[in-house]
Amino acid sequence: MRWFAVIVSLLLWPVVPVQGQTLPEKLPLIGWLRIAVPEELPGKPLLDALAAHGLTDGHTMRFEIRSAEGRTERMPELAQALVRDGAKIIIAFGPDATRAAIAASNAIPIVAVSAFIEEGLAGSLARPAGNLTGVSILVNELDPKKLEVLKELLPAFSSAGVLNDASTRIPERPGAMAAAAKHLGISLMTVDVTAPPEFEAALAAMVRAGSTAVAINASTLFATTRRQLGELLRKHRVPAVCQWREMTEAGCLASYGPTQKEMFELVANHVARIMAGAAPNSLPIVQPRYIELVINLKVARELGLTIPQRMIERADEVIE
């Protein structure tokens, strides 16, 4: 019985942190709000970028991913939960996450990755207002450029499907895409989707309509569901140009856009400066400096396509 009493007293003994050590629940919370979590390495690239600034999960901060699991209607509740949980900073990827974070708090700093000007989220990159800053993804410049890349990769094609995330609200994008298509002498069929279950029907509709290639518009939804999207592209045997290298690795024929590594580094730099005391509206919304072309020759061989040698030589990376 004496041993039983000793064990009970030890179990009830209060836990006191070592001097200079902070309990995990007392660490500042950095919440990452996003439409979906990538199928592989969720959070690791951003965690690595934050760690380079001394922001380490479980030691100098708490890092939590709040995912809407592809359902945009869940964004407001997830953003509000981060506010209730006392988030020090909210990282928001995509327009829906950014809008939800803005609506949830006008005080907690928000570091977003989005098309700020095009989506009407900010009036100026140099002087963002309120509690918002982040990284712009150059949508209006890069999405039409993907059509040019498709035409250079596949000179004979004349009809393209455009897979578009309906949650994006960029009034200039359809006109810019149409102008690029007219200049290249190709016809376009744009199909809007809102969630992953709609992807297959969209691709099937494009193929039935005669589209022989697909341009995938910039979207956090597509980037995070790249494995599923890549499998469907292979199933329907349709070549596609997308946004990120990681999407090309997953099954697109090629990608043309910024590097995710740089995007995460830019986000982490803003987060670190805010954690050090900077106001978010004192930090300009930045743009990526590097745009890369990646070609997947394995996909080309699967589809029986021959890529012009000049494009292979021009590519920043060729996946064999």
Side-chain angles (χ1 to χ4, degrees):
M1 290 298 292
R2 283 188 303 170
W3 282 110
F4 177 77
V6 170
I7 292 170
V8 170
S9 66
L10 288 173
L11 290 173
L12 297 176
W13 194 265
V15 177
V16 180
V18 176
Q19 188 173 4
Q21 186 182 64
T22 306
L23 289 173
E25 63 270 18
K26 299 298 183 182
L27 293 170
L29 171 62
I30 297 176
W32 188 5
L33 184 63
R34 55 186 305 153
I35 182 66
V37 177
E39 295 96 335
E40 73 287 338
L41 299 176
K44 187 179 186 303
L46 181 53
L47 279 171
D48 289 344
L50 290 169
H53 292 274
L55 297 172
T56 308
D57 187 28
H59 295 278
T60 56
M61 58 91 175
R62 285 185 295 142
F63 181 81
E64 295 183 8
I65 298 175
R66 304 291 174 91
S67 167
E69 298 177 347
R71 295 164 51 197
T72 56
E73 70 273 12
R74 292 195 58 210
M75 283 294 187
E77 68 176 82
L78 293 172
Q80 291 159 14
L82 280 172
V83 174
R84 288 194 301 271
D85 292 344
K88 176 82 171 178
I89 296 173
I90 297 176
I91 299 171
F93 271 35
D96 288 302
T98 304
R99 289 191 184 94
I102 292 170
S105 175
N106 60 6
I108 297 173
I110 301 166
V111 179
V113 174
S114 194
F116 290 86
I117 304 299
E118 298 90 337
E119 292 274 2
L121 297 168
S124 168
L125 297 183
R127 297 180 179 274
N131 55 329
L132 179 67
T133 188
V135 184
S136 175
I137 58 172
L138 306 172
V139 167
N140 280 347
E141 295 87 350
L142 295 179
D143 277 342
K145 185 68 177 178
K146 291 173 193 165
L147 292 176
E148 295 181 31
V149 171
L150 264 179
K151 188 66 174 177
E152 292 182 84
L153 289 169
L154 309 170
F157 103 98
S158 59
S159 179
V162 177
L163 189 64
N164 184 62
D165 178 358
S167 70
T168 58
R169 307 170 194 175
I170 304 174
E172 301 89 352
R173 179 152 62 183
M177 297 290 285
K182 182 178 180 181
H183 174 73
L184 295 167
I186 60 178
S187 61
L188 289 185
M189 174 186 180
T190 300
V191 179
D192 290 337
V193 295
T194 60
E198 301 171 13
F199 293 173
E200 181 156 23
L203 291 173
M206 292 176 190
V207 172
R208 285 197 304 271
S211 297
T212 54
V214 173
I216 299 176
N217 279 344
S219 164
T220 304
L221 174 63
F222 300 145
T224 52
T225 55
R226 53 185 175 266
R227 296 286 180 200
Q228 178 181 347
L229 195 52
E231 289 171 3
L232 291 172
L233 289 169
R234 282 184 159 121
K235 176 180 177 180
H236 290 278
R237 297 189 58 78
V238 59
V241 171
C242 49
Q243 181 181 13
W244 305 102
R245 178 211 176 277
E246 289 76 9
M247 296 177 73
T248 300
E249 189 178 40
C252 287
L253 174 64
S255 59
Y256 187 78
T259 69
Q260 287 202 4
K261 182 176 185 295
E262 183 187 12
M263 301 294 280
F264 287 128
E265 287 172 350
L266 292 172
V267 168
N269 183 61
H270 270 21
V271 169
R273 293 175 68 180
I274 291 170
M275 291 288 283
N281 59 13
S282 72
L283 303 175
I285 295 168
V286 295
Q287 295 177 323
R289 293 172 294 169
Y290 306 108
I291 304 298
E292 66 175 4
L293 170 65
V294 179
I295 298 173
N296 191 328
L297 285 185
K298 181 179 178 182
V299 169
R301 287 193 295 270
E302 288 177 4
L303 298 177
L305 301 172
T306 300
I307 304 301
Q309 184 61 33
R310 69 179 183 279
M311 292 300 290
I312 295 174
E313 294 172 358
R314 175 183 157 192
D316 297 280
E317 182 182 355
V318 175
I319 298 173
E320 297 285 354

